[in-house]
Amino acid sequence: MKDLIIIGAGAIGSAAARTLAQYELDILVLEKESDVGEVTSSANSAIVHSGYDPVPGSEKAAMNVRGNLLYDQMCEELDIDMRKIGSLTIATNDEEVEILRGLEERGRQNGVPVQMLNREETLALEPNLTPEVKLALLAPTAGIVNTFELSVALMENAMDNGVKLNLNEAVTGIRAIEGGYEVTTNRAVYQTRAIVNAAGLFSDEINNFVNPVKYEIQPRKGEYFVLDHFDPDFIRHTIFTVPSSKGKGILVSPTTHGNYILGPSAEFVEEKDDYSTDGETLAQVLATAKKLVPSIPMNQVIREFSGLRAVEKSGHFIIEESLPGFVNLVGIQSPGLTSCPAIAEEVVKFLSNTMEMKKKADFNPRRRPMVRLNRMTPEERAEFVKKNPKFGNIICRCEMVSEGEVLDCIHRNCGAATIRGVKRRVRPGMGKCQGGFCQPRIIKILARELGIKNEDVRMKSPGSFILMGETK
Amino acid sequence: METKQYDLIIIGGGSAGLAAAIAAADHGVEKILILEKEDEAGGILLQCIHNGFGLHRFKEELTGPEYAARFASEAEKRSGIEIKVRSMVLKITAEKEVHYSSEAEGYCVVQGKAIVCATGCSERTRGAIKIPGDRPTGVMTAGLAQRYLNIDGYFVGKKVFILGSGDIGLIMARRMTLEGSKVLGVAELMPYSNGLTRNIVQCLNDFDIPLYLSHTVKKIIGKERLEKIVLAQVDEKFQFIPGTDQEFEVDTLLLSVGLIPSNPLLTEIGVQIHPKTSGPLVDENMQTSIPGIFSCGNSLHVHDLVDFVSMEGETAGIAAAQFIQGTLATSEDVIRTEPGPGVGYLLPASLHCGKDADGKENDFVLKFRVQKPFQNVSLVVKQNGQILKKVKKAFLIPAEMENLTIRQADLLEKNGILSVEVSNE
Ligand SMILES: Cc1cc2nc3c(=O)[nH]c(=O)nc-3n(C[C@H](O)[C@H](O)[C@H](O)COP(=O)(O)OP(=O)(O)OC[C@H]3O[C@@H](n4cnc5c(N)ncnc54)[C@H](O)[C@@H]3O)c2cc1C
Ligand SMILES: Cc1cc2nc3c(=O)[nH]c(=O)nc-3n(C[C@H](O)[C@H](O)[C@H](O)COP(=O)(O)OP(=O)(O)OC[C@H]3O[C@@H](n4cnc5c(N)ncnc54)[C@H](O)[C@@H]3O)c2cc1C
């Protein structure tokens, strides 16, 4: 019997795995997709929220504020790209000024540093903002994170410390047995003493297998534009509209790679796999974004995407031990990314109710740092490449990624096995040409390193093939 | 770090870069370096295995690789030209330092007295044209499909639809049909094709592939691999016409929706960019806003015929030679150019009256594309509103780049505004 099965390897499951890897436990993570962080944890705004916004006293507020606090150390230890650039929430009329004052008060109650800036102060910080701005709420502890790197780094470190990960394995049933649970998947049957349900959009179904209290997740879609990294100083903070009942509103933000994102919309949808984007919604996103930043250069758009928020009917984060040894992390919508290290701490508390939690002597909290060529001086880089020639071979023209970086991301724990896996870890294909130049090269490298045929390399899931066999 | 010195550094060993190198060597430049990121020089031509290259220049029909090979062997004959392949240029500076990286040499910095930037173009992607719907695999640019097929030897699709009637899409329609794929149609948003007429005839008509003008893809359907597309007709304002939806079951959608000059190296150091072409602003010498940095070929503006790419490369190479030798005359007087009615863009952006490499008064080659198809019209060149030259044209289409030569003797004065327009008279 295993000690623990974690269902789902998004940010929440991966953070739980990493935190629990400190303890003497036999842990297996089951993930139905071909990679970790493949679902909501790689399709979101990637903001480390400061926590001024959630209702004071709520679980969301507590997790957000604690999560934000834990982020610096977590990202430092795991070499995750994260920068606390601060956020500005913008009011452009009297009604919004009212709401903003309310948010300032909430921020104080949540213990989050916030500061009001007048029009001149705001425009001095962000000259490209709308001149209509009347008042802005600055939250200096808000940050941006490389959301792709987050789940990967957490899981890599968990695996470095003994956690086992099975990809392409979906849980199809759970039942309570003597001293634990029996978990059935598309590939095997396991027995385990405890379960962490971190299945995101499907966390209701996992819960409903065993818990008499039923939950229901309603997916709520957010659609975005991504712009190229055309000017590092175009916008320097995360810019929010004042939130409404529909969500945090629209934001305009730089990403950790100097791209810009605009979004998200907020519409409930029927299907949990509906990632389509539609013209009308995106036109609205753009119109709202332009109210914040009128001069957004739309010729810099390189792609659109959408993500699905896992909204539980109650609207709350459900973080609980619902049955002995069965920990639910249900309805973890925004700010889930920010909250992940805090939620992981809660999991430890719940599990210590049923299990002996003994710390390992040899837990290593650090991940081997990524090689970041573009942060080296020419001299450092020349020196490094001399010793590691594969880092001299540049295979992505837009993002200037080397073969060495691709090889490294394939051969680490929790390594990339798909084109998207490589793209999300080291960026070839993220740029202006969207893989037009590098994709053939990535296919060849993956095939060679994984010992498979070129036509068996996938974008992500088993059906997402690119090539259809050799020509005669 | 050691910085090796060259006279001329050429970035990109495609048709433009090779022609520039050869011309510069023939005009006395001694130490020329070509940096090319691919395994061999030749550029995009290496994947264009169809016929039709070099009709103007060599008066015969060559394949892309054959045309490229002629230039590559000419370059090799000249001892002053050094070609480094598998060498990606990452960065240049206004001081004409060039940072490149390769597996063989590592990270290197070299410096030239002049630079020719001939980095080609990239394809517009789904993101750039914003097609809504799912995000399956099987939606790819036509040039990428061409590479998989012609260089790597792989099929990319069995049932194919093509969006955009640019030349690469048309050529791929024929190529995939010949390989046994079924091409169900080509859709074009505009009411006219964006490809060369000969490609419409030889690649679509000859294979009974329908061309849907004023149509575009409304939706992409497929969770993993592409399953279906929805095609619909658009009105003059490019709005979908209700009731015109048609579904096509396809596994592949090729995008041939335009090429954009690729100039990340130049934009990073603040070279001025032409708002219409996305290439740099150049004068008659192909010199950019930074003296000694030149641009030519598809990274300057997108060409449909390689012969003109080669010519442009030569102009840039000769001018770079003059710059290095200190003989590139740049007068204070500048003529600015401006596209007139009916003309999309006009190059060069500025003209100086001076002497060419042979000491004669230089001519000006104006290059431009019209905004839409025209029949039985005149092209009129004006300076400060006065007509300098008028040429009758039976047909003009945006897909074909036009050339007009103006001699200094034709000009009224050495400054002012020069324009080209389409006139019904
Ligand atoms: C539009 C949008 C914007 C957001 N912006 C922010 C933001 O700026 N800041 C922030 O802090 N938060 C943000 N969030 C929230 C954040 O993205 C989520 O809270 C977080 O990613 C949730 O992580 P997760 O691990 O719970 O879910 P997921 O990442 O979805 O992971 C769940 C995993 O479980 C797997 N799984 C499901 N069912 C099974 C099964 N039966 N068997 C095995 N595996 C299974 C899935 O494949 C998936 O990988 C945003 C969310 C959205 C949608
Ligand atoms: C699919 C297609 C079909 C065509 N068909 C015809 C035809 O039938 N007949 C005809 O006459 N013309 C045709 N053309 C047009 C013509 O052949 C091309 O426009 C011409 O070859 C472009 O030459 P170029 O040197 O400007 O660009 P390219 O050939 O693209 O060369 C640019 C070179 O720069 C290199 N490079 C780019 N960035 C870097 C960097 N950072 N570091 C190092 N190297 C770099 C690239 O690898 C490439 O080799 C066709 C073009 C295409 C794309």
Side-chain angles (χ1 to χ4, degrees):
Chain A
M1 187 176 274
K2 303 222 155 283
D3 291 324
L4 173 65
I5 286 182
I6 299 175
I7 304 170
I12 302 297
S14 303
R18 189 237 178 182
T19 301
L20 289 161
Q22 297 177 70
Y23 300 93
E24 304 266 2
L25 297 173
D26 172 17
I27 304 173
L28 172 64
V29 182
L30 297 175
E31 168 54 57
K32 73 175 163 67
E33 298 295 332
S34 54
D35 200 355
V36 302
E38 184 80 9
V39 189
T40 309
S41 298
S42 61
N44 56 61
S45 309
I47 307 301
V48 184
H49 287 291
S50 59
Y52 70 76
D53 177 43
V55 180
S58 67
E59 183 93 72
K60 258 187 208 160
M63 292 297 109
N64 185 343
V65 174
R66 174 87 184 135
N68 183 294
L69 206 67
L70 294 171
Y71 244 71
D72 299 81
Q73 192 188 342
M74 175 179 79
C75 293
E76 194 270 321
E77 288 175 344
L78 299 179
D79 189 27
I80 297 169
D81 209 356
M82 193 274 297
R83 275 184 290 145
K84 294 234 163 134
I85 59 171
S87 70
L88 283 170
T89 309
I90 305 296
T92 54
N93 57 41
D94 293 343
E95 197 187 327
E96 289 175 353
V97 165
E98 266 318 287
I99 304 178
L100 207 58
R101 296 214 186 277
L103 288 175
E104 181 190 20
E105 180 49 33
R106 267 199 200 181
R108 297 245 151 78
Q109 289 183 32
N110 287 344
V112 176
V114 282
Q115 185 192 344
M116 283 293 195
L117 303 183
N118 65 24
R119 179 172 183 275
E120 286 64 42
E121 292 165 334
T122 311
L123 289 173
L125 283 182
E126 292 287 1
N128 286 319
L129 270 188
T130 172
E132 314 252 297
V133 54
K134 288 197 145 175
L135 195 67
L137 184 69
L138 172 69
T141 54
I144 51 179
V145 61
N146 180 345
T147 185
F148 307 112
E149 207 160 65
L150 178 66
S151 308
V152 171
L154 285 162
M155 189 57 74
E156 180 182 334
N157 184 244
M159 293 173 80
D160 290 347
N161 287 291
V163 168
K164 210 172 162 287
L165 167 70
N166 286 3
L167 295 171
N168 297 309
E169 186 159 1
V171 173
T172 54
I174 306 173
R175 73 186 177 92
I177 55 171
E178 182 67 38
Y181 299 88
E182 185 185 84
V183 176
T184 309
T185 73
N186 57 342
R187 299 216 306 242
V189 178
Y190 305 92
Q191 295 187 338
T192 180
R193 292 168 61 206
I195 287 178
V196 172
N197 171 15
L201 289 161
F202 301 90
S203 55
D204 54 348
E205 294 170 26
I206 298 295
N207 169 78
N208 297 352
F209 285 138
V210 278
N211 190 355
V213 180
K214 305 297 177 200
Y215 292 125
E216 188 184 336
I217 299 278
Q218 296 177 314
R220 190 185 237 186
K221 193 191 282 181
E223 299 185 27
Y224 297 85
F225 288 107
V226 186
L227 275 60
D228 206 0
H229 32 69
F230 59 96
D231 174 5
D233 290 324
F234 180 63
I235 291 290
R236 305 186 193 99
H237 299 75
T238 298
I239 312 293
F240 293 110
T241 52
V242 288
S244 69
S245 55
K246 283 181 86 187
K248 288 198 199 309
I250 300 281
L251 61 81
V252 175
S253 180
T255 71
T256 47
H257 281 89
N259 295 70
Y260 291 93
I261 55 170
L262 321 178
S265 55
E267 306 289 339
F268 281 109
V269 293
E270 295 296 318
E271 305 294 331
K272 288 180 177 175
D273 63 349
D274 174 5
Y275 291 99
S276 61
T277 50
D278 82 280
E280 238 168 79
T281 308
L282 282 167
Q284 264 176 19
V285 166
L286 178 60
T288 317
K290 286 212 153 173
K291 279 190 200 149
L292 290 176
V293 185
S295 59
I296 293 169
M298 291 310 280
N299 59 354
Q300 297 289 346
V301 170
I302 52 180
R303 78 175 293 165
E304 302 154 357
F305 73 92
S306 72
L308 296 178
R309 305 170 183 85
V311 182
E312 210 285 318
K313 259 198 159 158
S314 64
H316 294 303
F317 274 9
I318 296 168
I319 301 173
E320 62 179 16
E321 186 182 19
S322 58
L323 300 169
F326 192 104
V327 178
N328 260 331
L329 306 173
V330 176
I332 310 298
Q333 48 168 318
S334 193
L337 219 55
T338 314
S339 306
C340 72
I343 293 176
E345 288 181 341
E346 297 301 302
V347 175
V348 173
K349 286 184 209 156
F350 289 128
L351 288 180
S352 41
N353 293 339
T354 46
M355 300 205 248
E356 194 202 343
M357 304 289 281
K358 201 174 140 224
K359 286 223 174 174
K360 285 178 193 161
D362 59 349
F363 174 74
N364 177 8
R366 306 196 81 82
R367 176 169 83 127
R368 179 165 58 81
M370 302 294 284
V371 176
R372 301 191 196 266
L373 293 173
N374 55 2
R375 293 192 192 158
M376 296 180 188
T377 65
E379 289 76 20
E380 289 167 352
R381 185 159 174 177
E383 199 51 38
F384 182 83
V385 176
K386 203 183 275 168
K387 290 191 209 115
N388 306 277
K390 289 282 179 202
F391 288 83
N393 182 22
I394 306 296
I395 50 118
C396 163
R397 177 182 177 183
C398 305
E399 304 294 314
M400 300 295 184
V401 182
S402 69
E403 183 180 354
E405 289 160 278
V406 174
L407 293 173
D408 182 37
C409 90
I410 294 173
H411 292 299
R412 284 166 177 264
N413 264 332
C414 190
T418 60
I419 299 171
R420 199 169 121 118
V422 172
K423 170 176 165 180
R424 288 174 39 224
R425 284 167 179 79
V426 289
R427 289 182 65 78
M430 288 274 187
K432 196 158 207 142
C433 86
Q434 292 283 295
F437 169 66
C438 62
Q439 196 187 72
R441 289 156 181 83
I442 302 293
I443 288 184
K444 275 189 202 154
I445 297 174
L446 275 168
R448 186 184 72 211
E449 298 303 312
L450 302 175
I452 59 178
K453 288 194 197 148
N454 285 354
E455 57 267 45
D456 291 334
V457 173
R458 293 290 179 263
M459 179 61 83
K460 43 181 186 172
S461 57
S464 63
F465 53 92
I466 310 267
L467 304 177
M468 291 194 171
E470 290 178 53
T471 54
K472 290 138 279 183
Chain B
M1 239 177 131
E2 186 209 1
T3 305
K4 217 171 156 187
Q5 300 292 323
Y6 287 86
D7 292 327
L8 175 60
I9 299 172
I10 295 179
I11 306 168
S15 317
L18 287 171
I22 295 165
D26 292 349
H27 284 79
V29 180
E30 280 165 12
K31 232 173 151 232
I32 303 173
L33 173 65
I34 301 180
L35 292 168
E36 169 55 53
K37 66 180 164 56
E38 298 292 324
D39 296 349
E40 57 178 311
I44 195 73
L45 288 183
L46 298 177
Q47 68 180 54
C48 302
I49 61 170
H50 54 280
N51 264 328
F53 295 85
L55 278 172
H56 291 251
R57 186 168 192 107
F58 298 114
K59 309 284 176 243
E60 56 179 312
E61 281 212 48
L62 305 175
T63 66
E66 283 166 356
Y67 186 98
R70 292 208 178 178
F71 276 84
S73 75
E74 283 300 310
E76 265 158 42
K77 283 186 204 148
R78 288 163 177 76
S79 60
I81 302 178
E82 183 183 354
I83 304 184
K84 290 187 194 274
V85 294
R86 295 192 197 111
S87 302
M88 174 80 87
V89 175
L90 302 173
K91 182 170 123 176
I92 65 176
T93 67
E95 292 70 45
K96 304 189 183 69
E97 285 173 338
V98 175
H99 296 232
Y100 70 92
S101 181
S102 75
E103 188 169 340
E105 291 185 276
Y107 190 88
C108 307
V109 182
V110 289
Q111 191 170 33
K113 294 173 184 150
I115 292 177
V116 172
C117 206
T119 47
C121 58
S122 58
E123 296 182 275
R124 293 220 297 161
T125 63
R126 177 174 175 186
I129 56 165
K130 307 185 190 71
I131 317 171
D134 298 330
R135 313 206 64 92
T137 56
V139 180
M140 67 172 80
T141 57
L144 176 59
Q146 185 180 49
R147 183 196 152 107
Y148 278 130
L149 201 53
N150 293 345
I151 306 249
D152 300 330
Y154 285 92
F155 284 118
V156 294
K158 299 203 168 96
K159 291 177 84 181
V160 185
F161 204 93
I162 298 175
L163 176 60
S165 61
D167 287 311
I168 315 178
L170 300 177
I171 285 161
M172 282 307 287
R174 172 176 65 188
R175 182 80 179 90
M176 293 191 78
T177 307
L178 292 174
E179 282 292 342
S181 304
K182 176 81 191 142
V183 179
L184 280 79
V186 175
E188 169 58 54
L189 180 69
M190 307 302 283
Y192 50 84
S193 161
N194 263 319
L196 299 176
T197 313
R198 71 159 197 240
N199 283 336
I200 301 276
V201 175
Q202 294 171 7
C203 301
L204 299 187
N205 301 358
D206 290 359
F207 295 88
D208 291 328
I209 299 170
L211 174 62
Y212 297 87
L213 295 175
S214 295
H215 277 72
T216 190
V217 174
K218 194 175 176 183
K219 199 165 181 191
I220 287 175
I221 300 164
K223 292 289 180 237
E224 295 186 280
R225 177 79 188 195
L226 180 65
E227 290 158 23
K228 260 191 283 194
I229 59 160
V230 180
L231 188 75
Q233 199 178 340
V234 295
D235 61 21
E236 322 72 71
K237 289 185 183 129
F238 306 115
Q239 300 299 312
F240 290 112
I241 301 175
T244 61
D245 288 13
Q246 286 181 72
E247 280 192 5
F248 291 88
E249 280 185 25
V250 287
D251 52 43
T252 304
L253 175 67
L254 296 188
L255 305 176
S256 175
V257 290
L259 301 166
I260 328 164
S262 175
N263 290 294
L265 300 171
L266 294 182
T267 46
E268 237 167 62
I269 55 166
V271 165
Q272 283 174 26
I273 297 295
H274 192 296
K276 291 229 172 89
T277 61
S278 301
L281 285 172
V282 294
D283 64 10
E284 74 285 357
N285 297 313
M286 307 297 128
Q287 187 166 232
T288 68
S289 59
I290 298 185
I293 298 185
F294 299 81
S295 166
C296 54
N298 278 354
S299 58
L300 177 58
H301 60 139
V302 174
H303 292 255
D304 33 279
L305 289 178
V306 68
D307 312 71
F308 295 123
V309 172
S310 304
M311 273 167 57
E312 206 170 87
E314 283 158 5
T315 305
I318 293 169
Q322 292 177 285
F323 180 87
I324 292 162
Q325 292 147 2
T327 58
L328 187 69
T330 41
S331 67
E332 293 289 298
D333 291 320
V334 185
I335 300 170
R336 305 258 161 228
T337 70
E338 223 174 64
V343 172
Y345 72 82
L346 175 60
L347 287 183
S350 57
L351 308 168
H352 308 88
C353 293
K355 298 267 172 11
D356 64 18
D358 305 325
K360 294 204 286 280
E361 281 194 340
N362 54 346
D363 295 339
F364 302 113
V365 184
L366 303 175
K367 297 172 194 174
F368 55 92
R369 284 177 194 267
V370 291
Q371 281 170 323
K372 57 177 197 193
F374 291 99
Q375 269 186 36
N376 299 320
V377 287
S378 309
L379 285 170
V380 182
V381 185
K382 290 182 178 170
Q383 189 175 20
N384 301 337
Q386 291 205 45
I387 297 179
L388 300 184
K389 187 167 183 171
K390 198 165 172 176
V391 187
K392 286 225 176 304
K393 287 277 177 180
F395 293 100
L396 286 171
I397 56 171
E400 284 181 37
M401 190 189 78
E402 297 292 328
N403 271 304
L404 273 180
T405 302
I406 292 286
R407 293 175 314 151
Q408 271 189 40
D410 299 334
L411 296 172
L412 303 174
E413 51 172 344
K414 294 185 172 181
N415 35 41
I417 304 277
L418 192 95
S419 67
V420 178
E421 65 186 59
V422 182
S423 156
N424 285 320
E425 287 148 38

